[in-house]
Amino acid sequence: NTTPGKWLIRARTQFARVLIESTDDSINDIAFKSGFKNTAHFVKVFKDFYGMPPLQYRLRRASVAQGGRLIGV
């Protein structure tokens, strides 16, 4: 069981992940499009779910898609 608030945060974060993976929108724009009113809070929540900040997540996904590795990221 989960509370409605936690469910909403998870849904917003998952939607943000889809936007990060499928658009070139800025992290700030993605935060707002996903329903977060504060980018810093969005970054913290995203990191809690995915283990890294959204920009780092995007960079790693791009690197993997190109078959490369990012050093130090």
Side-chain angles (χ1 to χ4, degrees), residues 49-65:
F49 274 89
Y50 298 106
M52 64 186 77
L55 183 56
Q56 185 178 356
Y57 181 88
R58 173 179 273 167
L59 294 173
R60 287 203 180 196
R61 295 250 331 147
S63 177
V64 169

PDB file of all heavy atoms in Angstrom, residues 49-65:
ATOM      1  N   PHE A  49      14.862   8.116  -6.532  1.00  0.00           N
ATOM      2  CA  PHE A  49      14.263   7.005  -7.290  1.00  0.00           C
ATOM      3  C   PHE A  49      15.276   6.288  -8.169  1.00  0.00           C
ATOM      4  O   PHE A  49      15.244   5.065  -8.285  1.00  0.00           O
ATOM      5  CB  PHE A  49      13.105   7.511  -8.166  1.00  0.00           C
ATOM      6  CG  PHE A  49      11.792   7.570  -7.456  1.00  0.00           C
ATOM      7  CD1 PHE A  49      11.405   8.707  -6.765  1.00  0.00           C
ATOM      8  CD2 PHE A  49      10.922   6.493  -7.470  1.00  0.00           C
ATOM      9  CE1 PHE A  49      10.192   8.777  -6.108  1.00  0.00           C
ATOM     10  CE2 PHE A  49       9.702   6.544  -6.812  1.00  0.00           C
ATOM     11  CZ  PHE A  49       9.345   7.687  -6.129  1.00  0.00           C
ATOM     12  N   TYR A  50      16.145   7.048  -8.832  1.00  0.00           N
ATOM     13  CA  TYR A  50      16.999   6.480  -9.874  1.00  0.00           C
ATOM     14  C   TYR A  50      18.491   6.466  -9.548  1.00  0.00           C
ATOM     15  O   TYR A  50      19.288   6.009 -10.359  1.00  0.00           O
ATOM     16  CB  TYR A  50      16.747   7.194 -11.209  1.00  0.00           C
ATOM     17  CG  TYR A  50      15.326   6.997 -11.670  1.00  0.00           C
ATOM     18  CD1 TYR A  50      14.393   8.015 -11.588  1.00  0.00           C
ATOM     19  CD2 TYR A  50      14.899   5.759 -12.146  1.00  0.00           C
ATOM     20  CE1 TYR A  50      13.083   7.823 -11.979  1.00  0.00           C
ATOM     21  CE2 TYR A  50      13.581   5.554 -12.530  1.00  0.00           C
ATOM     22  CZ  TYR A  50      12.686   6.583 -12.448  1.00  0.00           C
ATOM     23  OH  TYR A  50      11.379   6.380 -12.822  1.00  0.00           O
ATOM     24  N   GLY A  51      18.857   6.955  -8.372  1.00  0.00           N
ATOM     25  CA  GLY A  51      20.241   6.848  -7.926  1.00  0.00           C
ATOM     26  C   GLY A  51      21.193   7.872  -8.501  1.00  0.00           C
ATOM     27  O   GLY A  51      22.393   7.817  -8.222  1.00  0.00           O
ATOM     28  N   MET A  52      20.678   8.804  -9.306  1.00  0.00           N
ATOM     29  CA  MET A  52      21.513   9.862  -9.853  1.00  0.00           C
ATOM     30  C   MET A  52      20.620  11.029 -10.253  1.00  0.00           C
ATOM     31  O   MET A  52      19.427  10.826 -10.503  1.00  0.00           O
ATOM     32  CB  MET A  52      22.323   9.367 -11.056  1.00  0.00           C
ATOM     33  CG  MET A  52      21.503   8.960 -12.254  1.00  0.00           C
ATOM     34  SD  MET A  52      22.471   8.213 -13.577  1.00  0.00           S
ATOM     35  CE  MET A  52      22.728   6.581 -12.891  1.00  0.00           C
ATOM     36  N   PRO A  53      21.175  12.219 -10.325  1.00  0.00           N
ATOM     37  CA  PRO A  53      20.380  13.378 -10.747  1.00  0.00           C
ATOM     38  C   PRO A  53      19.919  13.219 -12.199  1.00  0.00           C
ATOM     39  O   PRO A  53      20.522  12.475 -12.984  1.00  0.00           O
ATOM     40  CB  PRO A  53      21.344  14.556 -10.610  1.00  0.00           C
ATOM     41  CG  PRO A  53      22.490  14.060  -9.820  1.00  0.00           C
ATOM     42  CD  PRO A  53      22.543  12.581  -9.971  1.00  0.00           C
ATOM     43  N   PRO A  54      18.867  13.935 -12.588  1.00  0.00           N
ATOM     44  CA  PRO A  54      18.314  13.763 -13.928  1.00  0.00           C
ATOM     45  C   PRO A  54      19.295  14.068 -15.062  1.00  0.00           C
ATOM     46  O   PRO A  54      19.303  13.371 -16.071  1.00  0.00           O
ATOM     47  CB  PRO A  54      17.109  14.696 -13.963  1.00  0.00           C
ATOM     48  CG  PRO A  54      17.143  15.497 -12.720  1.00  0.00           C
ATOM     49  CD  PRO A  54      18.080  14.864 -11.772  1.00  0.00           C
ATOM     50  N   LEU A  55      20.122  15.080 -14.929  1.00  0.00           N
ATOM     51  CA  LEU A  55      21.061  15.390 -16.002  1.00  0.00           C
ATOM     52  C   LEU A  55      22.086  14.265 -16.157  1.00  0.00           C
ATOM     53  O   LEU A  55      22.403  13.856 -17.284  1.00  0.00           O
ATOM     54  CB  LEU A  55      21.768  16.725 -15.757  1.00  0.00           C
ATOM     55  CG  LEU A  55      22.721  17.162 -16.861  1.00  0.00           C
ATOM     56  CD1 LEU A  55      22.011  17.239 -18.213  1.00  0.00           C
ATOM     57  CD2 LEU A  55      23.369  18.485 -16.508  1.00  0.00           C
ATOM     58  N   GLN A  56      22.578  13.754 -15.064  1.00  0.00           N
ATOM     59  CA  GLN A  56      23.514  12.631 -15.131  1.00  0.00           C
ATOM     60  C   GLN A  56      22.826  11.410 -15.750  1.00  0.00           C
ATOM     61  O   GLN A  56      23.418  10.701 -16.567  1.00  0.00           O
ATOM     62  CB  GLN A  56      24.046  12.294 -13.745  1.00  0.00           C
ATOM     63  CG  GLN A  56      25.111  11.224 -13.762  1.00  0.00           C
ATOM     64  CD  GLN A  56      25.673  10.940 -12.377  1.00  0.00           C
ATOM     65  OE1 GLN A  56      25.316  11.591 -11.398  1.00  0.00           O
ATOM     66  NE2 GLN A  56      26.546   9.974 -12.300  1.00  0.00           N
ATOM     67  N   TYR A  57      21.574  11.163 -15.402  1.00  0.00           N
ATOM     68  CA  TYR A  57      20.808  10.069 -15.990  1.00  0.00           C
ATOM     69  C   TYR A  57      20.735  10.239 -17.508  1.00  0.00           C
ATOM     70  O   TYR A  57      20.951   9.295 -18.262  1.00  0.00           O
ATOM     71  CB  TYR A  57      19.407  10.043 -15.372  1.00  0.00           C
ATOM     72  CG  TYR A  57      18.524   8.940 -15.885  1.00  0.00           C
ATOM     73  CD1 TYR A  57      18.538   7.682 -15.292  1.00  0.00           C
ATOM     74  CD2 TYR A  57      17.666   9.140 -16.958  1.00  0.00           C
ATOM     75  CE1 TYR A  57      17.722   6.653 -15.754  1.00  0.00           C
ATOM     76  CE2 TYR A  57      16.848   8.128 -17.431  1.00  0.00           C
ATOM     77  CZ  TYR A  57      16.885   6.882 -16.822  1.00  0.00           C
ATOM     78  OH  TYR A  57      16.089   5.873 -17.293  1.00  0.00           O
ATOM     79  N   ARG A  58      20.430  11.444 -17.965  1.00  0.00           N
ATOM     80  CA  ARG A  58      20.345  11.712 -19.410  1.00  0.00           C
ATOM     81  C   ARG A  58      21.693  11.474 -20.085  1.00  0.00           C
ATOM     82  O   ARG A  58      21.760  10.846 -21.142  1.00  0.00           O
ATOM     83  CB  ARG A  58      19.883  13.146 -19.645  1.00  0.00           C
ATOM     84  CG  ARG A  58      19.931  13.529 -21.125  1.00  0.00           C
ATOM     85  CD  ARG A  58      19.454  14.934 -21.351  1.00  0.00           C
ATOM     86  NE  ARG A  58      18.007  14.923 -21.504  1.00  0.00           N
ATOM     87  CZ  ARG A  58      17.252  16.004 -21.467  1.00  0.00           C
ATOM     88  NH1 ARG A  58      17.788  17.187 -21.246  1.00  0.00           N
ATOM     89  NH2 ARG A  58      15.946  15.902 -21.632  1.00  0.00           N
ATOM     90  N   LEU A  59      22.754  11.959 -19.487  1.00  0.00           N
ATOM     91  CA  LEU A  59      24.077  11.797 -20.086  1.00  0.00           C
ATOM     92  C   LEU A  59      24.483  10.327 -20.159  1.00  0.00           C
ATOM     93  O   LEU A  59      25.045   9.888 -21.161  1.00  0.00           O
ATOM     94  CB  LEU A  59      25.118  12.599 -19.306  1.00  0.00           C
ATOM     95  CG  LEU A  59      24.955  14.116 -19.373  1.00  0.00           C
ATOM     96  CD1 LEU A  59      25.933  14.802 -18.419  1.00  0.00           C
ATOM     97  CD2 LEU A  59      25.130  14.622 -20.798  1.00  0.00           C
ATOM     98  N   ARG A  60      24.196   9.578 -19.136  1.00  0.00           N
ATOM     99  CA  ARG A  60      24.521   8.142 -19.148  1.00  0.00           C
ATOM    100  C   ARG A  60      23.704   7.404 -20.193  1.00  0.00           C
ATOM    101  O   ARG A  60      24.214   6.542 -20.883  1.00  0.00           O
ATOM    102  CB  ARG A  60      24.304   7.526 -17.777  1.00  0.00           C
ATOM    103  CG  ARG A  60      25.379   7.949 -16.816  1.00  0.00           C
ATOM    104  CD  ARG A  60      25.507   6.981 -15.702  1.00  0.00           C
ATOM    105  NE  ARG A  60      26.567   7.464 -14.818  1.00  0.00           N
ATOM    106  CZ  ARG A  60      27.147   6.720 -13.926  1.00  0.00           C
ATOM    107  NH1 ARG A  60      26.779   5.478 -13.754  1.00  0.00           N
ATOM    108  NH2 ARG A  60      28.109   7.204 -13.181  1.00  0.00           N
ATOM    109  N   ARG A  61      22.418   7.726 -20.296  1.00  0.00           N
ATOM    110  CA  ARG A  61      21.572   7.075 -21.304  1.00  0.00           C
ATOM    111  C   ARG A  61      22.086   7.392 -22.702  1.00  0.00           C
ATOM    112  O   ARG A  61      22.127   6.525 -23.558  1.00  0.00           O
ATOM    113  CB  ARG A  61      20.122   7.539 -21.178  1.00  0.00           C
ATOM    114  CG  ARG A  61      19.474   7.142 -19.892  1.00  0.00           C
ATOM    115  CD  ARG A  61      18.421   6.118 -19.973  1.00  0.00           C
ATOM    116  NE  ARG A  61      17.683   6.067 -21.197  1.00  0.00           N
ATOM    117  CZ  ARG A  61      17.210   4.930 -21.693  1.00  0.00           C
ATOM    118  NH1 ARG A  61      17.405   3.809 -21.069  1.00  0.00           N
ATOM    119  NH2 ARG A  61      16.528   4.927 -22.816  1.00  0.00           N
ATOM    120  N   ALA A  62      22.485   8.632 -22.944  1.00  0.00           N
ATOM    121  CA  ALA A  62      22.997   9.017 -24.261  1.00  0.00           C
ATOM    122  C   ALA A  62      24.294   8.280 -24.565  1.00  0.00           C
ATOM    123  O   ALA A  62      24.511   7.820 -25.676  1.00  0.00           O
ATOM    124  CB  ALA A  62      23.207  10.527 -24.316  1.00  0.00           C
ATOM    125  N   SER A  63      25.145   8.155 -23.574  1.00  0.00           N
ATOM    126  CA  SER A  63      26.410   7.461 -23.760  1.00  0.00           C
ATOM    127  C   SER A  63      26.194   5.984 -24.068  1.00  0.00           C
ATOM    128  O   SER A  63      26.811   5.436 -24.979  1.00  0.00           O
ATOM    129  CB  SER A  63      27.283   7.601 -22.508  1.00  0.00           C
ATOM    130  OG  SER A  63      28.469   6.872 -22.654  1.00  0.00           O
ATOM    131  N   VAL A  64      25.298   5.344 -23.344  1.00  0.00           N
ATOM    132  CA  VAL A  64      25.000   3.930 -23.569  1.00  0.00           C
ATOM    133  C   VAL A  64      24.403   3.755 -24.967  1.00  0.00           C
ATOM    134  O   VAL A  64      24.745   2.809 -25.685  1.00  0.00           O
ATOM    135  CB  VAL A  64      24.057   3.390 -22.487  1.00  0.00           C
ATOM    136  CG1 VAL A  64      23.520   2.020 -22.849  1.00  0.00           C
ATOM    137  CG2 VAL A  64      24.781   3.343 -21.150  1.00  0.00           C
ATOM    138  N   ALA A  65      23.528   4.657 -25.364  1.00  0.00           N
ATOM    139  CA  ALA A  65      22.895   4.564 -26.678  1.00  0.00           C
ATOM    140  C   ALA A  65      23.919   4.677 -27.803  1.00  0.00           C
ATOM    141  O   ALA A  65      23.745   4.094 -28.865  1.00  0.00           O
ATOM    142  CB  ALA A  65      21.827   5.648 -26.830  1.00  0.00           C
TER     143      ALA A  65
END
